[in-house]
Structures are given as C-alpha cells and as structure tokens.
Amino acid sequence: MGGALQWGNLTDTEIKDILLVEDYVTKDDVAKFEVAAKQHYESLIDVLLQQKVITSELVGQAIAEFYSVPFADLNARPPTRENILKIPEEVAKKLHVVVFEVEDNTVVVATDNPSDSGIKSGLIEVLKTDSIKLNYAPTQAIETTFVAYRKSLETRFSKIIQSEGRVAPEIIDEIFDDAFTFRASDIHLEPREKEVVVRFRIDGVLHDAGRIEKSVYEAIVNRIKVLGHIRTDKHFDALDGTIHWEKKDAIVDMRISIVPLLDGEKIVIRLLSSYVKGLSLSDLGLSTQDQETVSATAKKPFGMILASGPTGAGKTTTMYAILEILNHPEVNITTIEDPVEYHLTGANQIQVNADTKLTFARGLRSIVRQDPNIILVGEIRDMETAEIAVNAALTGHLLLSSFHSNDAATTIPRMLNMGIEPFLLASTLELVVSQRLVRRICETCRYGVSMTLKDLTAKFPEANRFFPAATMTMYKSKGCNACGNTGYLGRIAIFEIIRITKEIEEAILKQSTAAEIWRIAEGQGSKSLFEDGVEKVKSGITDIDELLRVAAPPEDIPKTHEKSAKAS
C-alpha cells in the first residue's frame, strides 16, 4: 500500500541536489542508484531509502537545513492531540500544518513548505498569536497527525444514514478509509442479532472499530458484492471476490470472503499490498547469521526453499524478500499464487483461477515448460503440486514455496507423508524457514523496566532456561498517538531455520521423526522460534507477553542454554 514518500513542494531532483550539497549522500551513491531507480520506475530518493544509504529522518533534516529552519521529527516526538486540535481541520489540511509544540509563548508549527510566507499570516488569527515559529516536517508525517480529527465510525455512520444519501457506498468508503489509515490487514463485518460489528485486524490483533445499524446492512452487503464482481442473488453460499480500491496515490487490492451466518452474511476483506519495495532480510527480523544462511542458499542455481507456518505468519513476505535478492534482468522469475499479494517489477506473476481451472498444479506444470530460472509457488497444498515442485527443483530450477506446518522440523515428515519419495526430497530440499509474527513495541513510547527472574517465572515456569540473570532490563510501552495507544507499532517475524546438511539428508532418507530431525538441526546451531523471540525480547523489539502469545518454549532444554548455565 502507498506510493512514493512526499517531501512538500520539492521535486526528486531538488532533493537530490540538497542531499549532495549537504553531504548526506555522495555522487557515487547517486550515480549507482539512479540506474536502479530508472530500471524499476521509482524515485531516486525512494531507492536510496530502500537501500539504507540514507534514512527518512536524515532526508527531513537535510531539507530543514535547506529551508534554514529546525526539523520537527513527528515520528520520534508525535504532537499531542491537544496541540493538533489547536488548528481547525480545514485550515490544517489546506496549509499542511500541525502544532508541533508550544515553547513558552511561542507556537512551533510543523509544515512541509516553510518557504510559504502565507502560512504564518494564515495562522495568526487561528492561534491568537503572532509568535509563530515554523519547523519542517515531511508531508506524510504531517498527514498522519490528521487522524486526530477523525470522528468515530459510528458517528460518521449516523450522519450518513440521517443524510439519506448514498448510504451503502459512503459507509463502505468510510470503513475502507479507516482501515487504510490505521494500517489494518483485514476488515471484519460481523452481523449480530440487532447490529453489525466492524472490526479491524491491526498488527495481527482484532480491534472493534464501530457498529452499523442492521437495517442498512443488506444494502452494504450487496454493494460489496457488486464491487467484488459477486452475484447478489446468492445469500446461502460461501462466496469470494476481489476489489481494486484507490485512495489518492495509493492502490489497494482487497480479497473478499463472504459466508452465511444465522444473523446474516459475514464479510471478511483482506487488504493486499499493491507493490513490494525495499524488502530486506534484516527488516523481516532475521539475525545476521540467518541472513547469511538464507542469502547463500537463495543464490544456489537449483533446489527448493520452503517457508512454513500458519496463515498470516508472513511466509509470502519472506519469499518475496528472497526474490528481491534474486531479481535481476538476466534471470526469469515466474510465480503462481492465490492471491497475488505483491507485485514485483520484472517478475511474471500468475493468479490461480478456479473458474478457468487454473490450479497450482496445472499452472506450475505450464511454468516448468517455459523453463524459468526461479519459480515461486504460493502454497503446496496437495500431492500433485508437491510432486511437480520437487521435480522442478530437481531439473535445474530454484523453487520457493510456502507450506503449512507448526515448525521447521515438522515440514519434512509432512512432505514425506504427502507421498514424496525420501530420496527426491533429500536431493532437492535446501532450506526450511518456519516463522511467526510478533508485534513490535512502539519505539516512541517505549521505556525500560527492571524485572526479576521471579517476575518472569510467574509468566512462564521455564524462564530460568532463557533468562539466567536474577535481574534484567525489559521493555514496555505506555501507548501514544503514534501507536494508537496500543503500545505496539508494526510487526516483526521470529524464525526457526533448518539448513539441509548431509546429516539431515540421511535423516530424511531414514524417514526420521520431526523430533529427531530437530535434534540434528539444533546440534548444528538452529534456534527454535521461541529462542529467536527471546533475543528480540532482550533487544527491546518486542516483549515477553507478546512472545508467549505466539510461541511456546521448546520442551527439550536447548543445548545453547545448557552450556551457558554450566558456564555461569
């Protein structure tokens, strides 16, 4: 979701010149990444940000220096709701301004265009003072604060219904707009006896967003069916469809699922990202060692890499991060997915279509005939797809796919149970990545707390296996405007990786159990999901409550912790 970052009225070329003059980037950086920007039809600044040559904060700082004003970092120090509301919504959106803070009798206002002489004069009457100081802030950072002006969904629904206008389309637009604003991955419309509950899934957790009067719900259902190209005369079948929704410069593809309940038709809408840019293995949460393992395996000319985990664990994102490493003009990448969640420039992407009988197996068979270098199969669901995938990996293709299993070790016996010959799996499988998503602690309102081993043991009895110190610093968050007072902002993955070594190949040939395979992998340095999560807890990326929500401590005492316990 979302388009290129905006920095006010400055063009890409002007920002490039500012960064060069202020020595934030070198001429070599610009020359190198201008080529990549043209190849991928992206702005140079976006590419520099994606490649971590520079950060958005440093770009903002450079532009502020250009305007000779201070930089207002609205992400690190979000303005309070009280300060935001000092400027009426219409004025704030027209001038692109927000009150950053109040210093004594001076009002500090953040704007993306400090050179506009009309801003101060336009705010004197509103703020009842002429002591106004302008700071620079990027466009998106300012627009993010405008969420403070939003009234509740229910208030907006009531106003729409009372106006007796285009009720269903307007209510749907408000729901979509809020879902986009609050970074929701799913919208749930759940009919109850007397009302319909609207819920958003944000960072993997459902939140109530509002309620709709039951009397208008049928019109809303029919409108969504029309948008999703679904027959409106079917009310007792499970139905699927897609919506292509545009908001300003953002394009969002939505996948619709409708099922009949006793109180009406329940709708779940999944928001899919339109373009994938700048995905890196470190951004996903892979440790340095695991990044090296994945990168080295991905650069092999053939073989199979599997990402395992439940639905919504981020498997597709991981596979696309790997494709980003491999995406060069000289290679042919073809994918078959259901649905196509990301669009990758330069890749040939196929959407599974049940109506035309284009299944994973049939599509994959056709893809292999076209002899691509790299194949991504959205999911291995059945024996036929598994056989074709293994044969493709055996005949000179690098194949990536996802697979449903609880952990990395269980993936191997499950593939064998599907009917894959052990010798074929042993000779093609290169890497298994299992993962879960945990919420990140909001960095804006994060703070450290001293916690004892006794406190942790109260949360889970095995705490001493992973936290040997009697007292340690942990991190929590208060909740703020930046994170919607949830204390969490965004998600990161915890990983469990098994590299297929000779020892594990032998275990596959013997059809060893998952426990036996994991013991070998652990002896070779693999960490469990929980162990990887513990490292992220210690680093302050997430907290222990969140880790325990998505992963359980391994039953066997990890060898790494046995060693540390003996050493202490």
Side-chain angles (χ1 to χ4, degrees), residues 472-507:
M472 63 221 79
T473 299
M474 294 289 187
Y475 294 88
K476 293 185 177 181
S477 49
K478 300 174 183 176
C480 62
N481 290 336
C483 61
N485 292 312
T486 64
Y488 299 97
L489 187 61
R491 290 189 288 176
I492 194 168
I494 55 174
F495 291 96
E496 185 175 279
I497 293 178
I498 293 180
R499 183 169 58 88
I500 308 304
T501 60
K502 287 184 178 179
E503 291 80 4
I504 292 181
E505 281 183 17
E506 291 172 3

PDB file of all heavy atoms in Angstrom, residues 472-507:
ATOM      1  N   MET A 472      17.081  -8.252  35.233  1.00  0.00           N
ATOM      2  CA  MET A 472      17.396  -7.826  33.864  1.00  0.00           C
ATOM      3  C   MET A 472      16.507  -6.648  33.482  1.00  0.00           C
ATOM      4  O   MET A 472      15.480  -6.396  34.103  1.00  0.00           O
ATOM      5  CB  MET A 472      17.216  -8.985  32.882  1.00  0.00           C
ATOM      6  CG  MET A 472      15.803  -9.503  32.792  1.00  0.00           C
ATOM      7  SD  MET A 472      15.709 -11.288  32.703  1.00  0.00           S
ATOM      8  CE  MET A 472      15.935 -11.771  34.398  1.00  0.00           C
ATOM      9  N   THR A 473      16.910  -5.939  32.427  1.00  0.00           N
ATOM     10  CA  THR A 473      16.113  -4.829  31.903  1.00  0.00           C
ATOM     11  C   THR A 473      15.226  -5.331  30.778  1.00  0.00           C
ATOM     12  O   THR A 473      15.704  -5.944  29.820  1.00  0.00           O
ATOM     13  CB  THR A 473      17.018  -3.697  31.373  1.00  0.00           C
ATOM     14  OG1 THR A 473      17.825  -3.208  32.446  1.00  0.00           O
ATOM     15  CG2 THR A 473      16.174  -2.554  30.828  1.00  0.00           C
ATOM     16  N   MET A 474      13.950  -5.100  30.928  1.00  0.00           N
ATOM     17  CA  MET A 474      12.987  -5.423  29.882  1.00  0.00           C
ATOM     18  C   MET A 474      12.359  -4.120  29.383  1.00  0.00           C
ATOM     19  O   MET A 474      12.589  -3.052  29.954  1.00  0.00           O
ATOM     20  CB  MET A 474      11.895  -6.359  30.416  1.00  0.00           C
ATOM     21  CG  MET A 474      12.389  -7.728  30.794  1.00  0.00           C
ATOM     22  SD  MET A 474      12.813  -8.685  29.322  1.00  0.00           S
ATOM     23  CE  MET A 474      13.154 -10.279  30.044  1.00  0.00           C
ATOM     24  N   TYR A 475      11.579  -4.217  28.317  1.00  0.00           N
ATOM     25  CA  TYR A 475      10.986  -3.015  27.742  1.00  0.00           C
ATOM     26  C   TYR A 475       9.475  -3.139  27.652  1.00  0.00           C
ATOM     27  O   TYR A 475       8.931  -4.192  27.341  1.00  0.00           O
ATOM     28  CB  TYR A 475      11.577  -2.747  26.357  1.00  0.00           C
ATOM     29  CG  TYR A 475      13.047  -2.400  26.422  1.00  0.00           C
ATOM     30  CD1 TYR A 475      14.017  -3.401  26.387  1.00  0.00           C
ATOM     31  CD2 TYR A 475      13.466  -1.081  26.553  1.00  0.00           C
ATOM     32  CE1 TYR A 475      15.360  -3.096  26.466  1.00  0.00           C
ATOM     33  CE2 TYR A 475      14.813  -0.758  26.629  1.00  0.00           C
ATOM     34  CZ  TYR A 475      15.756  -1.770  26.589  1.00  0.00           C
ATOM     35  OH  TYR A 475      17.098  -1.464  26.677  1.00  0.00           O
ATOM     36  N   LYS A 476       8.822  -2.035  27.954  1.00  0.00           N
ATOM     37  CA  LYS A 476       7.374  -1.938  27.830  1.00  0.00           C
ATOM     38  C   LYS A 476       7.054  -0.642  27.101  1.00  0.00           C
ATOM     39  O   LYS A 476       7.960   0.126  26.756  1.00  0.00           O
ATOM     40  CB  LYS A 476       6.705  -1.953  29.209  1.00  0.00           C
ATOM     41  CG  LYS A 476       6.829  -3.276  29.956  1.00  0.00           C
ATOM     42  CD  LYS A 476       6.031  -3.238  31.265  1.00  0.00           C
ATOM     43  CE  LYS A 476       6.099  -4.582  31.982  1.00  0.00           C
ATOM     44  NZ  LYS A 476       5.312  -4.576  33.236  1.00  0.00           N
ATOM     45  N   SER A 477       5.777  -0.374  26.883  1.00  0.00           N
ATOM     46  CA  SER A 477       5.380   0.872  26.234  1.00  0.00           C
ATOM     47  C   SER A 477       4.126   1.418  26.897  1.00  0.00           C
ATOM     48  O   SER A 477       3.286   0.658  27.383  1.00  0.00           O
ATOM     49  CB  SER A 477       5.137   0.647  24.741  1.00  0.00           C
ATOM     50  OG  SER A 477       4.311  -0.478  24.539  1.00  0.00           O
ATOM     51  N   LYS A 478       4.006   2.747  26.919  1.00  0.00           N
ATOM     52  CA  LYS A 478       2.889   3.393  27.587  1.00  0.00           C
ATOM     53  C   LYS A 478       1.651   3.466  26.708  1.00  0.00           C
ATOM     54  O   LYS A 478       0.530   3.468  27.190  1.00  0.00           O
ATOM     55  CB  LYS A 478       3.296   4.814  27.993  1.00  0.00           C
ATOM     56  CG  LYS A 478       4.480   4.875  28.939  1.00  0.00           C
ATOM     57  CD  LYS A 478       4.902   6.316  29.168  1.00  0.00           C
ATOM     58  CE  LYS A 478       6.139   6.393  30.055  1.00  0.00           C
ATOM     59  NZ  LYS A 478       6.607   7.794  30.215  1.00  0.00           N
ATOM     60  N   GLY A 479       1.853   3.531  25.386  1.00  0.00           N
ATOM     61  CA  GLY A 479       0.765   3.834  24.462  1.00  0.00           C
ATOM     62  C   GLY A 479       0.775   5.324  24.161  1.00  0.00           C
ATOM     63  O   GLY A 479       0.893   6.141  25.076  1.00  0.00           O
ATOM     64  N   CYS A 480       0.715   5.681  22.876  1.00  0.00           N
ATOM     65  CA  CYS A 480       0.782   7.090  22.487  1.00  0.00           C
ATOM     66  C   CYS A 480       0.032   7.288  21.173  1.00  0.00           C
ATOM     67  O   CYS A 480      -0.526   6.347  20.604  1.00  0.00           O
ATOM     68  CB  CYS A 480       2.241   7.525  22.332  1.00  0.00           C
ATOM     69  SG  CYS A 480       3.139   6.635  21.025  1.00  0.00           S
ATOM     70  N   ASN A 481       0.059   8.520  20.654  1.00  0.00           N
ATOM     71  CA  ASN A 481      -0.622   8.814  19.383  1.00  0.00           C
ATOM     72  C   ASN A 481      -0.038   8.006  18.238  1.00  0.00           C
ATOM     73  O   ASN A 481      -0.747   7.576  17.339  1.00  0.00           O
ATOM     74  CB  ASN A 481      -0.514  10.311  19.053  1.00  0.00           C
ATOM     75  CG  ASN A 481      -1.355  11.167  19.982  1.00  0.00           C
ATOM     76  OD1 ASN A 481      -2.331  10.680  20.560  1.00  0.00           O
ATOM     77  ND2 ASN A 481      -0.991  12.424  20.146  1.00  0.00           N
ATOM     78  N   ALA A 482       1.280   7.810  18.283  1.00  0.00           N
ATOM     79  CA  ALA A 482       1.947   7.116  17.167  1.00  0.00           C
ATOM     80  C   ALA A 482       1.447   5.683  17.001  1.00  0.00           C
ATOM     81  O   ALA A 482       1.324   5.188  15.882  1.00  0.00           O
ATOM     82  CB  ALA A 482       3.460   7.112  17.383  1.00  0.00           C
ATOM     83  N   CYS A 483       1.150   5.011  18.127  1.00  0.00           N
ATOM     84  CA  CYS A 483       0.734   3.604  18.061  1.00  0.00           C
ATOM     85  C   CYS A 483      -0.755   3.421  18.343  1.00  0.00           C
ATOM     86  O   CYS A 483      -1.217   2.295  18.561  1.00  0.00           O
ATOM     87  CB  CYS A 483       1.552   2.762  19.036  1.00  0.00           C
ATOM     88  SG  CYS A 483       1.387   3.241  20.770  1.00  0.00           S
ATOM     89  N   GLY A 484      -1.518   4.537  18.342  1.00  0.00           N
ATOM     90  CA  GLY A 484      -2.946   4.428  18.620  1.00  0.00           C
ATOM     91  C   GLY A 484      -3.223   3.949  20.024  1.00  0.00           C
ATOM     92  O   GLY A 484      -4.231   3.284  20.278  1.00  0.00           O
ATOM     93  N   ASN A 485      -2.293   4.270  20.946  1.00  0.00           N
ATOM     94  CA  ASN A 485      -2.414   3.897  22.368  1.00  0.00           C
ATOM     95  C   ASN A 485      -2.441   2.388  22.604  1.00  0.00           C
ATOM     96  O   ASN A 485      -2.908   1.924  23.641  1.00  0.00           O
ATOM     97  CB  ASN A 485      -3.665   4.543  22.987  1.00  0.00           C
ATOM     98  CG  ASN A 485      -3.540   6.051  23.078  1.00  0.00           C
ATOM     99  OD1 ASN A 485      -2.518   6.558  23.533  1.00  0.00           O
ATOM    100  ND2 ASN A 485      -4.548   6.763  22.609  1.00  0.00           N
ATOM    101  N   THR A 486      -1.936   1.616  21.646  1.00  0.00           N
ATOM    102  CA  THR A 486      -1.870   0.160  21.832  1.00  0.00           C
ATOM    103  C   THR A 486      -0.547  -0.279  22.449  1.00  0.00           C
ATOM    104  O   THR A 486      -0.446  -1.376  23.003  1.00  0.00           O
ATOM    105  CB  THR A 486      -2.028  -0.569  20.485  1.00  0.00           C
ATOM    106  OG1 THR A 486      -0.924  -0.236  19.630  1.00  0.00           O
ATOM    107  CG2 THR A 486      -3.343  -0.198  19.809  1.00  0.00           C
ATOM    108  N   GLY A 487       0.487   0.555  22.318  1.00  0.00           N
ATOM    109  CA  GLY A 487       1.810   0.184  22.801  1.00  0.00           C
ATOM    110  C   GLY A 487       2.629  -0.581  21.785  1.00  0.00           C
ATOM    111  O   GLY A 487       3.809  -0.851  21.999  1.00  0.00           O
ATOM    112  N   TYR A 488       2.013  -0.933  20.654  1.00  0.00           N
ATOM    113  CA  TYR A 488       2.708  -1.684  19.601  1.00  0.00           C
ATOM    114  C   TYR A 488       2.555  -0.961  18.266  1.00  0.00           C
ATOM    115  O   TYR A 488       1.518  -0.351  17.995  1.00  0.00           O
ATOM    116  CB  TYR A 488       2.135  -3.095  19.470  1.00  0.00           C
ATOM    117  CG  TYR A 488       2.255  -3.939  20.724  1.00  0.00           C
ATOM    118  CD1 TYR A 488       1.177  -4.057  21.612  1.00  0.00           C
ATOM    119  CD2 TYR A 488       3.426  -4.630  21.013  1.00  0.00           C
ATOM    120  CE1 TYR A 488       1.267  -4.836  22.754  1.00  0.00           C
ATOM    121  CE2 TYR A 488       3.527  -5.411  22.155  1.00  0.00           C
ATOM    122  CZ  TYR A 488       2.449  -5.510  23.028  1.00  0.00           C
ATOM    123  OH  TYR A 488       2.552  -6.280  24.153  1.00  0.00           O
ATOM    124  N   LEU A 489       3.587  -1.047  17.458  1.00  0.00           N
ATOM    125  CA  LEU A 489       3.530  -0.424  16.135  1.00  0.00           C
ATOM    126  C   LEU A 489       4.294  -1.281  15.136  1.00  0.00           C
ATOM    127  O   LEU A 489       5.517  -1.365  15.170  1.00  0.00           O
ATOM    128  CB  LEU A 489       4.132   0.986  16.183  1.00  0.00           C
ATOM    129  CG  LEU A 489       3.996   1.821  14.908  1.00  0.00           C
ATOM    130  CD1 LEU A 489       2.525   2.055  14.569  1.00  0.00           C
ATOM    131  CD2 LEU A 489       4.696   3.153  15.057  1.00  0.00           C
ATOM    132  N   GLY A 490       3.553  -1.972  14.273  1.00  0.00           N
ATOM    133  CA  GLY A 490       4.169  -2.846  13.290  1.00  0.00           C
ATOM    134  C   GLY A 490       4.456  -4.228  13.856  1.00  0.00           C
ATOM    135  O   GLY A 490       4.236  -4.487  15.051  1.00  0.00           O
ATOM    136  N   ARG A 491       4.944  -5.105  12.982  1.00  0.00           N
ATOM    137  CA  ARG A 491       5.272  -6.470  13.406  1.00  0.00           C
ATOM    138  C   ARG A 491       6.621  -6.891  12.851  1.00  0.00           C
ATOM    139  O   ARG A 491       7.135  -6.324  11.887  1.00  0.00           O
ATOM    140  CB  ARG A 491       4.189  -7.450  12.936  1.00  0.00           C
ATOM    141  CG  ARG A 491       2.877  -7.292  13.660  1.00  0.00           C
ATOM    142  CD  ARG A 491       1.903  -8.417  13.341  1.00  0.00           C
ATOM    143  NE  ARG A 491       1.362  -8.331  11.988  1.00  0.00           N
ATOM    144  CZ  ARG A 491       0.548  -9.235  11.455  1.00  0.00           C
ATOM    145  NH1 ARG A 491       0.202 -10.296  12.158  1.00  0.00           N
ATOM    146  NH2 ARG A 491       0.075  -9.081  10.232  1.00  0.00           N
ATOM    147  N   ILE A 492       7.180  -7.895  13.475  1.00  0.00           N
ATOM    148  CA  ILE A 492       8.444  -8.469  13.028  1.00  0.00           C
ATOM    149  C   ILE A 492       8.333  -9.978  13.192  1.00  0.00           C
ATOM    150  O   ILE A 492       7.549 -10.459  14.029  1.00  0.00           O
ATOM    151  CB  ILE A 492       9.625  -7.900  13.836  1.00  0.00           C
ATOM    152  CG1 ILE A 492      10.965  -8.215  13.153  1.00  0.00           C
ATOM    153  CG2 ILE A 492       9.600  -8.408  15.274  1.00  0.00           C
ATOM    154  CD1 ILE A 492      12.132  -7.448  13.746  1.00  0.00           C
ATOM    155  N   ALA A 493       9.076 -10.722  12.409  1.00  0.00           N
ATOM    156  CA  ALA A 493       8.974 -12.183  12.466  1.00  0.00           C
ATOM    157  C   ALA A 493      10.011 -12.778  13.410  1.00  0.00           C
ATOM    158  O   ALA A 493      11.099 -12.231  13.598  1.00  0.00           O
ATOM    159  CB  ALA A 493       9.146 -12.777  11.072  1.00  0.00           C
ATOM    160  N   ILE A 494       9.635 -13.883  14.037  1.00  0.00           N
ATOM    161  CA  ILE A 494      10.597 -14.735  14.735  1.00  0.00           C
ATOM    162  C   ILE A 494      10.768 -15.978  13.868  1.00  0.00           C
ATOM    163  O   ILE A 494       9.812 -16.435  13.244  1.00  0.00           O
ATOM    164  CB  ILE A 494      10.148 -15.092  16.159  1.00  0.00           C
ATOM    165  CG1 ILE A 494       8.757 -15.747  16.165  1.00  0.00           C
ATOM    166  CG2 ILE A 494      10.159 -13.866  17.036  1.00  0.00           C
ATOM    167  CD1 ILE A 494       8.330 -16.255  17.543  1.00  0.00           C
ATOM    168  N   PHE A 495      11.981 -16.495  13.806  1.00  0.00           N
ATOM    169  CA  PHE A 495      12.300 -17.534  12.824  1.00  0.00           C
ATOM    170  C   PHE A 495      12.896 -18.791  13.453  1.00  0.00           C
ATOM    171  O   PHE A 495      13.493 -18.747  14.535  1.00  0.00           O
ATOM    172  CB  PHE A 495      13.314 -16.991  11.810  1.00  0.00           C
ATOM    173  CG  PHE A 495      12.769 -15.945  10.888  1.00  0.00           C
ATOM    174  CD1 PHE A 495      12.945 -14.601  11.173  1.00  0.00           C
ATOM    175  CD2 PHE A 495      12.069 -16.294   9.750  1.00  0.00           C
ATOM    176  CE1 PHE A 495      12.447 -13.624  10.337  1.00  0.00           C
ATOM    177  CE2 PHE A 495      11.557 -15.328   8.904  1.00  0.00           C
ATOM    178  CZ  PHE A 495      11.750 -13.981   9.195  1.00  0.00           C
ATOM    179  N   GLU A 496      12.739 -19.862  12.712  1.00  0.00           N
ATOM    180  CA  GLU A 496      13.348 -21.165  13.014  1.00  0.00           C
ATOM    181  C   GLU A 496      13.812 -21.700  11.668  1.00  0.00           C
ATOM    182  O   GLU A 496      12.994 -21.878  10.759  1.00  0.00           O
ATOM    183  CB  GLU A 496      12.285 -22.060  13.633  1.00  0.00           C
ATOM    184  CG  GLU A 496      12.762 -23.401  14.109  1.00  0.00           C
ATOM    185  CD  GLU A 496      11.628 -24.138  14.811  1.00  0.00           C
ATOM    186  OE1 GLU A 496      11.383 -23.835  15.996  1.00  0.00           O
ATOM    187  OE2 GLU A 496      10.959 -24.976  14.172  1.00  0.00           O
ATOM    188  N   ILE A 497      15.102 -21.929  11.517  1.00  0.00           N
ATOM    189  CA  ILE A 497      15.651 -22.279  10.199  1.00  0.00           C
ATOM    190  C   ILE A 497      16.419 -23.601  10.271  1.00  0.00           C
ATOM    191  O   ILE A 497      17.249 -23.799  11.167  1.00  0.00           O
ATOM    192  CB  ILE A 497      16.567 -21.157   9.670  1.00  0.00           C
ATOM    193  CG1 ILE A 497      15.723 -19.902   9.385  1.00  0.00           C
ATOM    194  CG2 ILE A 497      17.311 -21.596   8.418  1.00  0.00           C
ATOM    195  CD1 ILE A 497      16.524 -18.722   8.897  1.00  0.00           C
ATOM    196  N   ILE A 498      16.108 -24.467   9.313  1.00  0.00           N
ATOM    197  CA  ILE A 498      16.862 -25.719   9.184  1.00  0.00           C
ATOM    198  C   ILE A 498      17.523 -25.740   7.812  1.00  0.00           C
ATOM    199  O   ILE A 498      16.846 -25.687   6.776  1.00  0.00           O
ATOM    200  CB  ILE A 498      15.957 -26.951   9.337  1.00  0.00           C
ATOM    201  CG1 ILE A 498      15.417 -27.032  10.768  1.00  0.00           C
ATOM    202  CG2 ILE A 498      16.722 -28.225   8.979  1.00  0.00           C
ATOM    203  CD1 ILE A 498      14.517 -28.229  11.013  1.00  0.00           C
ATOM    204  N   ARG A 499      18.853 -25.779   7.816  1.00  0.00           N
ATOM    205  CA  ARG A 499      19.608 -25.927   6.568  1.00  0.00           C
ATOM    206  C   ARG A 499      19.823 -27.423   6.335  1.00  0.00           C
ATOM    207  O   ARG A 499      20.199 -28.158   7.262  1.00  0.00           O
ATOM    208  CB  ARG A 499      20.949 -25.195   6.682  1.00  0.00           C
ATOM    209  CG  ARG A 499      21.787 -25.213   5.415  1.00  0.00           C
ATOM    210  CD  ARG A 499      22.955 -24.238   5.577  1.00  0.00           C
ATOM    211  NE  ARG A 499      23.768 -24.590   6.736  1.00  0.00           N
ATOM    212  CZ  ARG A 499      24.782 -25.447   6.706  1.00  0.00           C
ATOM    213  NH1 ARG A 499      25.107 -26.067   5.578  1.00  0.00           N
ATOM    214  NH2 ARG A 499      25.480 -25.690   7.802  1.00  0.00           N
ATOM    215  N   ILE A 500      19.563 -27.875   5.123  1.00  0.00           N
ATOM    216  CA  ILE A 500      19.635 -29.321   4.839  1.00  0.00           C
ATOM    217  C   ILE A 500      21.089 -29.717   4.615  1.00  0.00           C
ATOM    218  O   ILE A 500      21.675 -29.491   3.550  1.00  0.00           O
ATOM    219  CB  ILE A 500      18.766 -29.680   3.616  1.00  0.00           C
ATOM    220  CG1 ILE A 500      17.350 -29.129   3.785  1.00  0.00           C
ATOM    221  CG2 ILE A 500      18.740 -31.202   3.435  1.00  0.00           C
ATOM    222  CD1 ILE A 500      16.641 -29.581   5.047  1.00  0.00           C
ATOM    223  N   THR A 501      21.671 -30.295   5.648  1.00  0.00           N
ATOM    224  CA  THR A 501      23.057 -30.768   5.601  1.00  0.00           C
ATOM    225  C   THR A 501      23.059 -32.262   5.263  1.00  0.00           C
ATOM    226  O   THR A 501      22.000 -32.893   5.137  1.00  0.00           O
ATOM    227  CB  THR A 501      23.720 -30.551   6.968  1.00  0.00           C
ATOM    228  OG1 THR A 501      22.965 -31.294   7.948  1.00  0.00           O
ATOM    229  CG2 THR A 501      23.722 -29.077   7.339  1.00  0.00           C
ATOM    230  N   LYS A 502      24.231 -32.842   5.153  1.00  0.00           N
ATOM    231  CA  LYS A 502      24.342 -34.282   4.858  1.00  0.00           C
ATOM    232  C   LYS A 502      23.670 -35.110   5.945  1.00  0.00           C
ATOM    233  O   LYS A 502      23.020 -36.121   5.665  1.00  0.00           O
ATOM    234  CB  LYS A 502      25.818 -34.679   4.722  1.00  0.00           C
ATOM    235  CG  LYS A 502      26.469 -34.181   3.430  1.00  0.00           C
ATOM    236  CD  LYS A 502      27.890 -34.698   3.306  1.00  0.00           C
ATOM    237  CE  LYS A 502      28.509 -34.228   1.983  1.00  0.00           C
ATOM    238  NZ  LYS A 502      29.919 -34.703   1.836  1.00  0.00           N
ATOM    239  N   GLU A 503      23.830 -34.656   7.197  1.00  0.00           N
ATOM    240  CA  GLU A 503      23.236 -35.397   8.310  1.00  0.00           C
ATOM    241  C   GLU A 503      21.710 -35.376   8.222  1.00  0.00           C
ATOM    242  O   GLU A 503      21.038 -36.391   8.484  1.00  0.00           O
ATOM    243  CB  GLU A 503      23.679 -34.797   9.648  1.00  0.00           C
ATOM    244  CG  GLU A 503      25.150 -35.000   9.985  1.00  0.00           C
ATOM    245  CD  GLU A 503      26.068 -34.009   9.279  1.00  0.00           C
ATOM    246  OE1 GLU A 503      25.558 -33.100   8.582  1.00  0.00           O
ATOM    247  OE2 GLU A 503      27.291 -34.145   9.415  1.00  0.00           O
ATOM    248  N   ILE A 504      21.162 -34.238   7.839  1.00  0.00           N
ATOM    249  CA  ILE A 504      19.700 -34.157   7.736  1.00  0.00           C
ATOM    250  C   ILE A 504      19.208 -34.892   6.482  1.00  0.00           C
ATOM    251  O   ILE A 504      18.125 -35.485   6.484  1.00  0.00           O
ATOM    252  CB  ILE A 504      19.239 -32.678   7.764  1.00  0.00           C
ATOM    253  CG1 ILE A 504      19.511 -32.115   9.156  1.00  0.00           C
ATOM    254  CG2 ILE A 504      17.749 -32.552   7.420  1.00  0.00           C
ATOM    255  CD1 ILE A 504      19.101 -30.696   9.383  1.00  0.00           C
ATOM    256  N   GLU A 505      20.016 -34.866   5.422  1.00  0.00           N
ATOM    257  CA  GLU A 505      19.661 -35.673   4.237  1.00  0.00           C
ATOM    258  C   GLU A 505      19.532 -37.148   4.630  1.00  0.00           C
ATOM    259  O   GLU A 505      18.598 -37.835   4.201  1.00  0.00           O
ATOM    260  CB  GLU A 505      20.739 -35.514   3.156  1.00  0.00           C
ATOM    261  CG  GLU A 505      20.634 -34.223   2.365  1.00  0.00           C
ATOM    262  CD  GLU A 505      21.677 -34.164   1.261  1.00  0.00           C
ATOM    263  OE1 GLU A 505      22.245 -35.227   0.919  1.00  0.00           O
ATOM    264  OE2 GLU A 505      21.917 -33.068   0.744  1.00  0.00           O
ATOM    265  N   GLU A 506      20.474 -37.628   5.438  1.00  0.00           N
ATOM    266  CA  GLU A 506      20.417 -39.023   5.884  1.00  0.00           C
ATOM    267  C   GLU A 506      19.178 -39.272   6.735  1.00  0.00           C
ATOM    268  O   GLU A 506      18.540 -40.330   6.641  1.00  0.00           O
ATOM    269  CB  GLU A 506      21.683 -39.353   6.682  1.00  0.00           C
ATOM    270  CG  GLU A 506      22.947 -39.404   5.830  1.00  0.00           C
ATOM    271  CD  GLU A 506      24.210 -39.549   6.664  1.00  0.00           C
ATOM    272  OE1 GLU A 506      24.080 -39.676   7.916  1.00  0.00           O
ATOM    273  OE2 GLU A 506      25.322 -39.504   6.083  1.00  0.00           O
ATOM    274  N   ALA A 507      18.815 -38.290   7.564  1.00  0.00           N
ATOM    275  CA  ALA A 507      17.615 -38.425   8.398  1.00  0.00           C
ATOM    276  C   ALA A 507      16.357 -38.478   7.538  1.00  0.00           C
ATOM    277  O   ALA A 507      15.410 -39.220   7.836  1.00  0.00           O
ATOM    278  CB  ALA A 507      17.532 -37.253   9.378  1.00  0.00           C
TER     279      ALA A 507
END
